[in-house]
Amino acid sequence: VAWASLKIMHDILLLKDFPEKYTFLVGWMSLGFQGLAAASGMVAMMGAAEVWVAVDDIDEKSHGTQCACYYKLDDLRCLLLMSTPTLMTWAYFGKLKRLIQAS
């Protein structure tokens, strides 16, 4: 929400001809929130690529001992989940490069 709000505010400031120091400030703040969104997406992506353990406390065959089942996402779902954070990170670094060149 903060990233989108700052991005809209940045565009409004540009259209209203505010001084560059304000548009750059809002642009850098927007970039910070975009970086946080990309980083949290990367954390979710790493979690999706992991193998999870589901512990089964009640197992009649093992006479009351605990057992665990291992499972992971199939390849297509894992690939789809990886595409969005990767594109967000790519866009973040592109915007960072352009903002540094403009400063």
Side-chain angles (χ1 to χ4, degrees):
V1 174
W3 174 33
S5 299
L6 286 170
K7 196 168 177 135
I8 292 169
M9 183 187 298
H10 177 262
D11 292 346
I12 290 172
L13 291 176
L14 284 174
L15 291 173
K16 297 290 184 178
D17 290 329
F18 272 75
E20 283 187 359
K21 67 178 182 177
Y22 298 119
T23 57
F24 277 130
L25 177 65
V26 174
W28 279 106
M29 290 188 311
S30 172
L31 183 68
F33 283 108
Q34 182 178 359
L36 287 173
S40 63
M42 285 293 187
V43 170
M45 179 180 78
M46 289 188 311
E50 293 177 350
V51 175
W52 297 300
V53 179
V55 178
D56 185 10
D57 291 332
I58 304 170
D59 186 18
E60 296 170 6
K61 294 179 184 176
S62 60
H63 306 292
T65 60
Q66 289 185 344
C67 73
C69 300
Y70 296 92
Y71 61 97
K72 70 177 191 83
L73 288 177
D74 60 298
D75 294 337
L76 180 61
R77 288 183 184 174
C78 195
L79 181 65
L80 289 174
L81 190 75
M82 289 180 172
S83 63
T84 302
T86 303
L87 290 173
M88 285 179 64
T89 303
W90 178 68
Y92 168 76
F93 283 116
K95 185 176 178 181
L96 177 65
K97 180 182 174 183
R98 289 188 304 274
L99 202 53
I100 288 173
Q101 288 175 347
S103 295

